[in-house]
Amino acid sequence: MSRFMPRGFGSFQGKTDRFAVAIVLAAVVMSFPVWCASAPAMPDYPAHLASYYLIATGASPPAVSNFYAIEWAFLPNLAGEIIVPPLSDLVGLEIAGKLFVTAGIVMWVLGPALIHRALFGKVGVAPLFAAFFAYNANLTWGFLNYYFAIGTAFAVFAAWIATEQRRGAVHLLGFAAAFTAIYFFHLFAAATLLLLLGTCELGIAVQSMSARDAFRRFAQLAAVVAPAALAYIFLKPSGGETAVAFDLFDRMIDRLEAALQLSYDNPSLVLMAMLMSLLVVALWRGWIALHLRMIVPLAVLGLAALFAPEWAMGGWGVDLRLPAVLGGLLFASCDFRLERRKIAVLAVACGVVIVSNTVILAKDWRATGLQYDEFRSAARALPPGTRLLTVLDGDAIGYRSDQPYWHMAEFAIIDPGAFTPLLFTTKDQHIVRIKPAYQSIAAASAEQGSPPDIDELNDLAAGQIDEDEDIANVFPYLMRFQCHYDMAVVIHLDGPRSTIPPMLRLRHAGSFFSIYDILPDEACAPT
């Protein structure tokens, strides 16, 4: 038996799963940061939570009904939208949002372990290494639908491998339902699962050298994928963005950093280097067996992670999606062949690192969560129906990350009921829509999804583009903003603040932000 085709292939029988309990404990521990803060410090989380609120209420509260509406459609980006609002009726919005994030983390930890068990017939120590990759850029950015959908895809892929020898019509029906659900959860997650299923079957078909067996396998896969393919062809609304943009050279480091992050913009490159070094040395010395069935899927997934575009179908950060999937699957596909004492040492080391990573993430999320709490307390004092603009004081922020505050103003949609231009309302990607009267003063695409800097406000107020490409490409909806918005929340953290433009009048001074009334000028007078 080759070390690349370990015993126990495709079977759930075998030795007692000594590490199954450790994997479950790791999932519980790694979920802790979600519950130690009022809200996870993800750049996109406040906008997601506001969307869930609007869906749960049908955008019916008077304060928001003038601005937003819900338009249901068969969009392949609906995981949180169809799970969190109904759940919020039972446990409340905040708890429902946290449960959704927690479920994603748990599935990212347990999923690779299920794949490992399906391949080797037991749960070894390797899935503990795979668990590290549950903290990745998809989580820390707040790509919640994709993150949850990939977690589900791990479980489906494990079940596909485990039913290799007994995959009947009932199994195929269940796989078709699961694949279709993942498609509606997130399109790119379904594409990733299809890549894994297809390359897995391709590797076996090439090995068997049987045309009949290959036809049977791919006929089964086609039956599983058919409902989702038909939904994409006939139900997905037309007219969405289809442009694809690559930035392979400048984004290569970002891809590497995306695989393992301990909080937003905090990659663990040292841990990554240690993991890759361990893997290379262990394969060379024969300490690890890599399952033969996973060689083709891992190779193709590696190429996809290396060459994925930055933009695709109107979405940004596509190149950040696959590196963590690759890392988790790589260790899920390995089995350590060491004596029991050395395996125990590895398990203890993994546990120490998992706890350390959890503490780092929890500390970061708690600190930012307290800032979110301060803003939400101030926002509750604003008049319902306030049109609220977010502005960054780049000089005061300096080199620190400002992304966790890009969507902070969206908390004000929930309470007191405000309008913001950066809520996720892109046509053919989201079911929350801005009513026609306000579409011209809101971001229309992901490219327009960041706030302006305070230095750009004077030009925006005057309607001047000059040589600032951002005003023309990113902020066209903010031209003459003083005529359309009531207030601005300026993020400055604790740095020396820039000069405030004359159209802003201080309303509230916070520890890391200030809220200003926006004063209209003569340019706003009706003609």
Side-chain angles (χ1 to χ4, degrees):
M1 182 72 68
S2 167
R3 65 177 181 175
F4 292 102
M5 180 64 84
R7 194 172 305 213
F9 165 67
S11 171
F12 279 91
Q13 306 300 319
K15 301 178 181 179
T16 302
D17 297 335
R18 293 173 295 172
F19 294 102
V21 174
I23 295 295
V24 173
L25 288 176
V28 173
V29 169
M30 294 182 71
S31 301
F32 173 74
V34 179
W35 301 94
C36 73
S38 59
M42 309 168 181
D44 287 358
Y45 187 79
H48 284 302
L49 196 67
S51 295
Y52 302 151
Y53 164 76
L54 292 173
I55 295 168
T57 61
S60 60
V64 295
S65 61
N66 290 332
F67 306 128
Y68 302 106
I70 308 301
E71 296 181 5
W72 284 100
F74 292 100
L75 302 177
N77 184 27
L78 295 175
E81 284 76 357
I82 61 180
I83 293 174
V84 176
L87 186 59
S88 69
D89 292 335
L90 302 175
V91 299
L93 180 65
E94 312 288 341
I95 299 298
K98 289 184 176 183
L99 286 173
F100 182 60
V101 176
T102 299
I105 295 174
V106 169
M107 290 190 296
W108 267 79
V109 176
L110 299 185
L114 293 174
I115 295 170
H116 182 85
R117 182 179 173 111
L119 290 169
F120 299 101
K122 63 183 178 65
V123 177
V125 71
L128 282 173
F129 289 91
F132 295 152
F133 295 93
Y135 288 170
N136 58 67
N138 302 290
L139 174 69
T140 59
W141 262 99
F143 300 155
L144 298 186
N145 286 348
Y146 173 77
Y147 188 80
F148 180 89
I150 283 293
T152 308
F154 282 145
V156 173
F157 186 50
W160 182 264
I161 296 172
T163 57
E164 163 66 21
Q165 304 299 331
R166 50 190 176 88
R167 200 179 296 143
V170 174
H171 291 95
L172 294 179
L173 184 62
F175 281 118
F179 190 90
T180 303
I182 291 172
Y183 164 79
F184 283 111
F185 286 168
H186 197 280
L187 175 60
F188 193 64
T192 303
L193 178 57
L194 177 59
L195 181 149
L196 294 176
L197 296 175
T199 53
C200 186
E201 294 304 305
L202 177 62
I204 296 178
V206 171
Q207 183 183 2
S208 69
M209 299 296 291
S210 169
R212 181 177 180 179
D213 183 61
F215 177 80
R216 177 184 64 83
R217 290 180 178 279
F218 284 102
Q220 289 181 342
L221 183 57
V224 167
V225 174
L230 292 174
Y232 181 81
I233 294 172
F234 295 108
L235 297 180
K236 184 178 182 294
S238 59
E241 294 187 45
T242 59
V244 176
F246 293 86
D247 191 357
L248 300 180
F249 181 77
D250 290 341
R251 298 276 296 178
M252 195 57 64
I253 297 299
D254 294 306
R255 295 168 194 260
L256 178 63
E257 294 178 344
L260 207 163
Q261 292 193 358
L262 304 184
S263 58
Y264 174 75
D265 202 27
N266 180 19
S268 184
L269 296 180
V270 173
L271 178 57
M272 177 71 70
M274 293 174 63
L275 290 173
M276 294 303 103
S277 298
L278 171 65
L279 195 61
V280 171
V281 172
L283 285 171
W284 173 55
R285 296 295 299 271
W287 299 338
I288 282 181
L290 179 64
H291 205 291
L292 182 61
R293 185 171 189 175
M294 294 300 294
I295 291 177
V296 174
L298 289 171
V300 175
L301 185 63
L303 291 173
L306 189 63
F307 295 106
E310 179 184 1
W311 292 83
M313 301 183 69
W316 174 84
V318 178
D319 53 350
L320 306 180
R321 310 298 174 107
L322 292 179
V325 179
L326 177 62
L329 283 178
L330 186 57
F331 279 95
S333 305
C334 294
D335 189 36
F336 282 85
R337 300 304 177 86
L338 297 170
E339 61 184 50
R340 183 171 300 183
R341 181 176 59 84
K342 293 180 179 179
I343 292 290
V345 171
L346 287 176
V348 171
C350 282
V352 170
V353 175
I354 286 172
V355 171
S356 175
N357 290 350
T358 299
V359 170
I360 292 172
L361 183 62
K363 182 178 179 181
D364 179 84
W365 281 7
R366 179 167 177 78
T368 306
L370 292 174
Q371 291 181 321
Y372 287 167
D373 290 345
E374 181 188 348
F375 169 76
R376 297 187 73 174
S377 177
R380 292 187 185 100
L382 302 181
T386 297
R387 293 166 292 182
L388 188 61
L389 174 67
T390 298
V391 180
L392 303 175
D393 186 346
D395 290 338
I397 294 172
Y399 292 104
R400 291 166 293 182
S401 297
D402 54 45
Q403 287 86 343
Y405 308 98
W406 284 7
H407 293 287
M408 189 180 71
E410 273 72 271
F411 281 127
I413 294 175
I414 302 171
D415 189 6
F419 170 85
T420 72
L422 297 181
L423 185 65
F424 299 144
T425 59
T426 305
K427 183 180 180 182
D428 300 328
Q429 293 185 27
H430 305 283
I431 61 171
V432 177
R433 304 291 295 130
I434 294 179
K435 291 190 173 181
Y438 297 93
Q439 288 178 0
S440 63
I441 63 169
S445 66
E447 184 180 7
Q448 299 177 5
S450 59
D453 191 90
I454 197 167
D455 290 341
E456 296 170 307
L457 291 188
N458 285 324
D459 286 341
L460 287 168
Q464 297 176 351
I465 296 178
D466 294 334
E467 298 180 358
D468 191 334
E469 294 183 359
D470 282 348
I471 291 181
N473 299 327
V474 183
F475 309 123
Y477 62 93
L478 293 180
M479 292 292 191
R480 309 282 186 188
F481 71 90
Q482 73 277 17
C483 304
H484 308 293
Y485 288 90
D486 304 308
M487 299 180 196
V489 52
V490 179
I491 310 298
H492 47 69
L493 300 185
D494 57 359
R497 304 179 189 183
S498 301
T499 301
I500 301 301
M503 79 286 298
L504 300 185
R505 181 178 61 198
L506 183 64
R507 182 186 186 95
H508 173 87
S511 66
F512 71 100
F513 73 97
S514 297
I515 299 177
Y516 293 86
D517 290 313
I518 299 176
L519 307 177
D521 56 19
E522 62 276 3
C524 304
T527 58

